[in-house]
């Protein structure tokens, strides 16, 4: 299996920041790329804050914190993304992801591995726009990436089987529990979870319960986080987009119709934690 030393993480938002922290903590040289200097700055501050918490809890030493930080290079230059594996966590738009992968090919060795963290776009749909469709594999982390154990490893119909094996092994090296699945709408968790989110939003919309009551009950029932807090953490734009894509890909069944309540929040620009307000204020 190809040795992995350097990982480029494209996108420094909610997911990219957590993934870069994770790869650096696991000992990989990490390049964090984003077009936005502000996003990179925010990501760096977020990683420092997370590492400081680990120091406070005596999980890592101050020397280890400095070593982790020294392994991450933050860049707005695409040409800096020269790596063994490239994990893409940019905006959830197929054409933008395709362009990024095709542009990155120029700066990388022919055996570079392209992994996408897309929540909802079909791996085949991205691969079919790429110059080398067999080089793409899905590597779907969950939010927050440094904490959540699951990584869905998605095999598209064009994916070279050796990439599935490599990314499975990489996820284990990152301390994760990888699960392989075929390319299908919503993969595993996001498909199953649609019902969870949509049902509870319908209950709030009908005035049966409040978001606070829903969260309190689900948390007391054993969920780590209630559905509304979770949607705010994920980002309502991301969650809504997943709902739409899964709904359309399954033939628009009524039971999976995206929530008007969530759509209204988007129209107000309330995207969750990242904008300071979603179902809750931050
Ligand atoms: N938010 C979640 O809970 C979650 C969970 C799993 C997977 N994902 C997936 O991860 C990806 C990123 O989601 P996010 O929540 O981190 O989004 P985000 O909006 O927090 O961050 C996206 C980042 O991508 C950058 N970006 C946009 N276009 C770019 C380009 N062409 N090149 C480089 N950077 C670019 C933006 O500047 C931004 O910093 C999406 O595909 C999403 O579906 C999200």
């Amino acid at each position: 299996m190809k040795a992995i030393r350097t990982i480029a993480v494209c996108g420094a938002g909610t997911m990219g920041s957590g993934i870069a922290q994770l790869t650096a903590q696991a000992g990989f040289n990490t390049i964090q790329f984003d077009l936005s200097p502000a996003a990179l700055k925010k990501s760096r501050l977020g990683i420092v804050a997370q590492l400081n918490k680990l120091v406070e809890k005596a999980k890592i030493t101050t020397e280890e914190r400095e070593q982790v930080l020294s392994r991450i290079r933050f860049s707005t230059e695409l040409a800096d993304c020269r790596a063994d594996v490239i994990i893409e966590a940019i905006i959830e738009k197929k054409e933008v992801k395709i362009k990024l992968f095709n542009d990155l090919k120029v700066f990388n060795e022919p055996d570079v591995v392209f992994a996408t963290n897309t929540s909802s776009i079909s791996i085949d749909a991205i691969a079919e726009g790429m110059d080398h469709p067999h080089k793409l594999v899905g590597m779907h982390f969950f939010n927050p990436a440094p904490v959540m154990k699951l990584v869905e490893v998605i095999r598209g119909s064009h994916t070279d089987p050796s990439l599935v094996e490599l990314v499975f092994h990489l996820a284990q090296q990152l301390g994760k529990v990888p699960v392989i699945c075929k390319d299908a709408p919503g993969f595993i968790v996001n498909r199953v979870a649609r019902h969870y989110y949509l049902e509870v939003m319908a209950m709030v919309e009908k005035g049966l319960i409040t978001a606070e009551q829903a969260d309190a009950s689900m948390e007391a029932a054993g969920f780590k986080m209630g559905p509304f807090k979770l949607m705010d953490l994920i980002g309502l734009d991301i969650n809504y987009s997943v709902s739409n894509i899964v709904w359309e890909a399954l033939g628009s069944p009524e039971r999976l119709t995206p929530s008007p309540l969530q759509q209204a929040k988007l129209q107000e620009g309330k995207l969750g934690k990242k904008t300071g307000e979603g179902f809750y204020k931050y």
Side-chain angles (χ1 to χ4, degrees):
M1 203 183 294
K2 159 181 157 133
I4 303 171
R5 289 189 189 82
T6 305
I7 296 177
V9 180
C10 295
T14 311
M15 293 307 291
S17 180
I19 297 168
Q21 180 191 330
L22 193 61
T23 55
Q25 275 187 265
F28 295 101
N29 293 323
T30 300
I31 300 147
Q32 169 128 78
F33 163 70
D34 200 294
L35 294 175
S36 154
L40 287 171
K41 191 173 168 203
K42 192 173 166 199
S43 171
R44 190 175 194 285
L45 288 174
I47 294 173
V48 171
Q50 291 303 319
L51 294 175
N52 283 343
K53 278 189 198 160
L54 295 177
V55 171
E56 278 163 31
K57 290 183 191 160
K59 292 201 169 161
I60 60 169
T61 62
T62 48
E63 292 75 39
E64 282 166 335
R65 178 191 62 198
E66 294 314 307
Q67 280 164 10
V68 173
L69 287 172
S70 73
R71 280 196 283 270
I72 312 176
R73 178 170 172 205
F74 296 86
S75 175
T76 52
E77 293 300 318
L78 189 69
D80 287 334
C81 292
R82 292 170 201 269
D84 301 305
V85 174
I86 296 184
I87 303 174
E88 169 278 309
I90 66 166
I91 190 170
E92 187 75 333
K93 291 217 161 73
K94 186 181 78 173
E95 299 308 328
V96 186
K97 290 182 191 289
I98 291 171
K99 183 174 185 315
L100 176 79
F101 285 127
N102 284 337
D103 289 348
L104 281 168
K105 201 189 57 179
V106 179
F107 306 110
N108 283 281
E109 297 297 323
D111 68 347
V112 61
V113 173
F114 291 131
T116 174
N117 182 49
T118 179
S119 303
S120 57
I121 305 173
S122 145
I123 304 302
D124 283 355
I126 300 173
E128 281 159 17
M130 288 170 59
D131 300 338
H132 300 289
H134 63 282
K135 296 184 73 64
L136 184 71
V137 61
M139 188 176 194
H140 186 213
F141 291 86
F142 289 76
N143 189 5
V147 177
M148 298 295 281
K149 282 281 174 201
L150 176 64
V151 172
E152 291 173 340
V153 177
I154 303 124
R155 190 178 65 218
S157 52
H158 306 283
T159 308
D160 181 333
S162 71
L163 301 196
V164 175
E165 204 187 324
L166 183 130
V167 163
F168 187 92
H169 183 64
L170 172 60
Q172 287 178 323
Q173 286 177 283
L174 298 177
K176 300 296 177 192
V177 177
V179 175
I180 297 175
C181 62
K182 281 190 185 168
D183 187 21
F187 313 130
I188 306 172
V189 171
N190 271 336
R191 171 95 159 248
V192 175
R194 281 344 322 138
H195 303 273
Y196 176 64
Y197 297 121
L198 292 170
E199 201 59 44
V200 82
M201 283 191 284
M203 288 179 78
V204 169
E205 212 182 344
K206 285 189 182 124
L208 298 173
I209 47 168
T210 63
E212 288 81 0
Q213 286 164 338
D215 282 352
S217 52
M218 296 316 284
E219 285 166 22
F223 284 72
K224 277 203 176 140
M225 199 181 258
F228 290 95
K229 284 186 199 160
L230 183 54
M231 285 185 278
D232 274 1
L233 179 73
I234 290 168
L236 299 190
D237 51 339
I238 298 279
N239 192 271
Y240 186 72
S241 152
V242 176
S243 290
N244 268 293
I245 290 177
V246 171
W247 178 62
E248 280 166 21
L250 293 175
S252 311
E254 201 183 338
R255 67 191 164 87
L256 290 177
T257 307
S259 162
L261 181 69
Q262 197 172 36
Q263 190 184 20
K265 290 276 176 202
L266 297 193
Q267 280 161 355
E268 292 171 60
K270 295 175 182 167
L271 306 185
K273 249 186 164 167
K274 62 184 169 189
T275 56
E277 187 170 349
F279 288 108
Y280 294 93
K281 281 193 175 148
Y282 298 89

